[in-house]
Structure formats: structure tokens, C-alpha cells
Amino acid sequence: MAQPFSLAACDVVGFDLDHTLCRYNLPESAPLIYHSFAQFLVKEKGYDKELLTVTPEDWDFCCKGLALDLEDGNFIKLADNGTVLRASHGTRMLAPEELAKEYGGKEWKYFMPDTGMAFRSGKYYFYDNYFDLPGALLCARVVDLLTKNNGQKAFDFWKDIVAGIQHNYKMSAFKENCGLYFPEIKRDPGKYLHSCPESVKTWLRRLKNAGKILVLITSSHSDYCRLLCNHILGNDFADLFDIVITNALKPGFFSHLPSQRPFRTLENDEEQEALPSLDKPGWYSQGNAVHLYELLKKMTGKPEPKVVYFGDSMHSDIFPARHYSNWETVLILEELKGDRDWKPEEAEPLEKKGKYEGQKGKPLYSLSKKWGSFFTDSISGLENTEDSSISTWSCKRISTYSTIAIPSIEAIAELPLDHKFTRFSSDGSKTAGYYPNPPLALSSFETLTNK
């Protein structure tokens, strides 16, 4: 059995910000992200106004772990062996016979069983986090419109999506009040952000008091980071962290050489000169894990300080922190509560609804009727056989690169720091590293496969 994992054994505790320490109100933030892109496509690029109307049912399309094939407009859900479990063209799901004809139970053409498979390339894009998912719905609806109106076989809309990202989320967008997203978050942060529970704030202070070095590493720019942290943690949030790194451009923060991605100082949230090394704690921009680790050695006085990093994105946080830096990793996975405790919320009276309300569906982490479980699926055509279930590629990556997976930091905040967690291991149970409970779909799957 693998050694248990304990925070008490770690010298450094690192955190991602968005969807990790900072939790978003997804039924509000998802429509805002969707509209930030849809309005750009309609107003600036001449796309059909139909894109601006979203129904609550439309949100069922959203499911983490899907890949969009940029050449044919198909979305796919992969099994752990690289075969295609389900697929859609735009939002239209392929019937079993279409699936068999298109993919034939073979490995997907871009699949690589080792770590070499990129999440993003000129050929495909993986949807991996809650900032991404509204874009999956939008892209699927763009494919629908192009197919219906033009009968297109090739799809060349991705450059317009990239332009929409640049317009809404470029480094200066927060300061310039550019696009739809940042002005709306600034106007009413409480609508879109959940404050950190007191238990989590107390837990952060307990870590600090226990002598842990606390590091925040976010790809958000420093001005947006400051707004988020002020809102969720309070004005004294900077006292909690020894080192804050913004605009970290993950996963490059972990994978790039120091010469490719030096740290920069900040002045009034503007990046200054590149630093040859990182000499002292503070607030920085960009940077790389190699120089950070050198500073952590100095701060701890240890030749190999043990680091754990909390994050929600397999692509940006978990895989690179484990693969390139060999850090312990804690995956924040809201899907862990999605198949257990979701109940429809009572509808608000219409007069209370705001500008981007009325389009809300179920929480994005709950089960998609179209795509099924994030963790497992049945092989098409074999539904009535006990061994037809197979775990997804996303599920396999969780157990390969995460130390443990939890639904939120709040789920562990009241445990003693020396609590011993059962970690994922290659020779252990597929459900071992999930805390406090494994997903129901995976528990059922393991029961079947162990019969």
C-alpha cells in the first residue's frame, strides 16, 4: 500500500485561485462567460444573433473532459483506452450507428496513451475547467448554425473564438473595462463569487501558524487577483501568503525553462523588469517553478522541501505540477458532489432576475443527460452486459496525477493538519484517493469489475 498523504508532512502549500480558493457562483458566472464570447461573435464577427439566446436546457451540453475536433466540429468523450465513448456534431449527439461508422471502436486519431497528449493543439481543444465550459456550449452552437446555414464540412471559427478571448481577457482588459466579463464582475462581485467560508480562512491561518509557507499561483492578472482575494478573503488577504504569483501562464509556469519565463516585479499592477532569479518572498508576475523552488529551499533551509499544490485544472495545475515539478497535488473536483447532493433550486421571482439571468440551468458539475458521467460510461451497444462499463480518460488522469481529489477546500478545512489521507496509487483501488467519498458512478463501476 502507498504511504498516506498528510499536510503536516508538507513544507509548502500552494494554491490556484480561480475555482480553487475562489469559488464562483456557476449558475451566474457561466451565462456571463458565454455572453462575453457570444456578443463578441455577433457584434464584431457577424455571427447569427440566435447565439445570444440560451435556454436552461442548453446547459446540459456542458461536461468537463470533452474534446472538440476543430476540423470536423465534433465533440468527443474519450475512454481511458483512447476509444470514443460518445460524440456529437455541434450539439446533436451521434446515434450508436453513426458513432460506430465515424470512430469504429478504434483509438481516436490524436490519442496518445502516455503523457505526451497535449490539451490544446491546432487540431483539437480539451474542455477542462469551468471557465472553458460555456465556450464548449457556444462552439457547439456555432457548429450547429454553420451546418444548418452553409452545410459546412470544414469549420474555421476557432480564430474568432481566440479573438474573443483576447478581447475579453487580455492583460489590460480589467484596467480598461474592456469586453463584458470584467466590468460585470467589478459591478457586482457578490453575485458571481462565493466568499471563502470562515472554516477555510481559519484553516489557512492554521497552516501558516504551523510554519507552512503559503504560495498563491494564478494565471489571473494581478488587478483581477486583488479584486477576487479582497472579496473572498478580506482586505488583509496578503498577510496569508508568503508569495503571490500572478499571470503565471500555467502550464508554462511548470514546463518552461527559467530563461523562457523569468519572474517580473510589479508596480501598480504593471509588469516591470525580468529578474535573473527569485531572491525573496513577495508579489510577482509570470515566472517559473524552477526559480520558485530555489527560493523555497532558502526559505525552508531544506535541500528538498516538500510542496503540495491545490488546483482545479488537470491541464494547468495538476498534471504539470506533478509531471514537471514532482509536487504532491490536490485536485478540486466539484463533480464529486454533482451526483450526490444536487437538488434544483427554487426559482426566483422574475422581477428579481438580473440581466444575464433566466438562462440558468443545472449546476455545471451535475450529471449531463447528453454525456453521462464524467467518471465512467458504458460501451455503446453493450449496455446489458456487466462488463460494458469503462472509466473515462479524464478519470484515469485523475488517479494518475492527483495525490487526492476533493470537492472543495471546505471539505477538509476542519480536519487536523496531520489527518492521513489515502492517496491514489497505481496498484490501489480506483476510488482510493477521493475524499470524503468516491463518486457514485465509480463506486458502482468498481463493484461490477470486482465481481
Side-chain angles (χ1 to χ4, degrees), residues 312-333:
D312 70 297
S313 167
M314 182 58 66
H315 166 66
S316 301
D317 301 318
I318 303 303
F319 168 72
R322 170 61 58 82
H323 182 66
Y324 297 106
S325 299
N326 201 29
W327 291 357
E328 301 276 18
T329 52
V330 178
L331 175 64
I332 304 295
L333 189 65

Side-chain angles (χ1 to χ4, degrees), residues 219-270:
S219 290
S220 289
H221 301 304
S222 61
D223 44 15
Y224 185 51
C225 171
R226 207 180 298 280
L227 177 141
L228 295 182
C229 289
N230 273 328
H231 184 81
I232 66 165
L233 292 167
N235 297 337
D236 59 349
F237 75 88
D239 298 342
L240 289 169
F241 301 103
D242 299 277
I243 302 166
V244 176
I245 300 163
T246 60
N247 194 27
L249 303 168
K250 296 175 290 181
F253 179 85
F254 296 101
S255 61
H256 282 52
L257 297 169
S259 58
Q260 296 172 294
R261 190 67 64 75
F263 279 96
R264 294 178 180 275
T265 54
L266 285 158
E267 205 169 290
N268 298 322
D269 295 318
E270 298 283 347

Side-chain angles (χ1 to χ4, degrees), residues 400-420:
T400 305
Y401 300 112
S402 314
T403 303
I404 60 170
I406 58 176
S408 64
I409 291 175
E410 197 177 355
I412 64 167
E414 293 182 6
L415 297 173
L417 296 184
D418 61 359
H419 180 88
K420 290 178 169 53

Side-chain angles (χ1 to χ4, degrees), residues 125-169:
Y125 187 94
F126 270 99
Y127 289 91
D128 166 63
N129 60 66
Y130 293 125
F131 271 144
D132 273 352
L133 284 190
L137 175 59
L138 179 65
C139 288
R141 298 187 72 211
V142 166
V143 170
D144 289 347
L145 288 169
L146 292 174
T147 304
K148 182 175 81 175
N149 297 338
N150 309 325
Q152 271 181 253
K153 291 283 190 289
F155 295 89
D156 189 28
F157 60 86
W158 190 250
K159 63 184 187 305
D160 297 330
I161 299 291
V162 172
I165 294 171
Q166 175 61 15
H167 174 70
N168 278 285
Y169 301 101

Side-chain angles (χ1 to χ4, degrees), residues 166-386:
Q166 175 61 15
H167 174 70
N168 278 285
Y169 301 101
K170 64 185 177 185
M171 196 165 178
S172 59
F174 185 92
K175 190 173 282 186
E176 294 170 5
N177 255 4
C178 181
L180 181 67
Y181 182 80
F182 287 129
E184 183 64 17
I185 297 276
K186 280 198 244 186
R187 185 186 69 77
D188 191 359
K191 178 177 175 181
Y192 299 102
L193 310 172
H194 292 303
S195 291
C196 259
E198 278 307 316
S199 62
V200 172
K201 294 181 195 174
T202 303
W203 178 77
L204 291 170
R205 287 191 286 270
R206 278 168 56 212
L207 287 168
K208 195 108 165 111
N209 292 340
K212 310 300 179 193
I213 292 169
L214 267 54
V215 184
L216 186 64
I217 309 173
T218 174
S219 290
S220 289
H221 301 304
S222 61
D223 44 15
Y224 185 51
C225 171
R226 207 180 298 280
L227 177 141
L228 295 182
C229 289
N230 273 328
H231 184 81
I232 66 165
L233 292 167
N235 297 337
D236 59 349
F237 75 88
D239 298 342
L240 289 169
F241 301 103
D242 299 277
I243 302 166
V244 176
I245 300 163
T246 60
N247 194 27
L249 303 168
K250 296 175 290 181
F253 179 85
F254 296 101
S255 61
H256 282 52
L257 297 169
S259 58
Q260 296 172 294
R261 190 67 64 75
F263 279 96
R264 294 178 180 275
T265 54
L266 285 158
E267 205 169 290
N268 298 322
D269 295 318
E270 298 283 347
E271 291 185 349
Q272 305 300 307
E273 76 280 359
L275 300 173
S277 62
L278 201 58
D279 296 325
K280 59 178 190 278
W283 189 302
Y284 299 96
S285 192
Q286 295 199 41
N288 61 86
V290 174
H291 278 168
L292 172 61
Y293 198 64
E294 290 303 315
L295 175 60
L296 296 174
K297 288 179 190 178
K298 284 202 316 194
M299 291 174 71
T300 59
K302 294 184 177 182
E304 291 186 1
K306 188 170 182 180
V307 185
V308 59
Y309 188 63
F310 287 72
D312 70 297
S313 167
M314 182 58 66
H315 166 66
S316 301
D317 301 318
I318 303 303
F319 168 72
R322 170 61 58 82
H323 182 66
Y324 297 106
S325 299
N326 201 29
W327 291 357
E328 301 276 18
T329 52
V330 178
L331 175 64
I332 304 295
L333 189 65
E334 289 201 27
E335 282 72 13
L336 279 180
K337 60 185 180 183
D339 65 355
R340 286 181 180 272
D341 63 3
W342 176 64
K343 297 178 185 68
E345 292 174 23
E346 286 192 19
E348 279 191 67
L350 274 175
E351 62 271 17
K352 282 194 171 181
K353 290 189 180 295
K355 192 172 177 186
Y356 300 107
E357 296 182 44
Q359 308 104 329
K360 290 184 284 189
K362 63 180 183 52
L364 296 191
Y365 56 74
S366 59
L367 196 68
S368 162
K369 291 193 187 82
K370 284 196 168 184
W371 294 105
S373 168
F374 172 73
F375 302 96
T376 67
D377 214 329
S378 55
I379 302 162
S380 182
L382 303 176
E383 285 85 351
N384 298 322
T385 62
E386 277 194 349

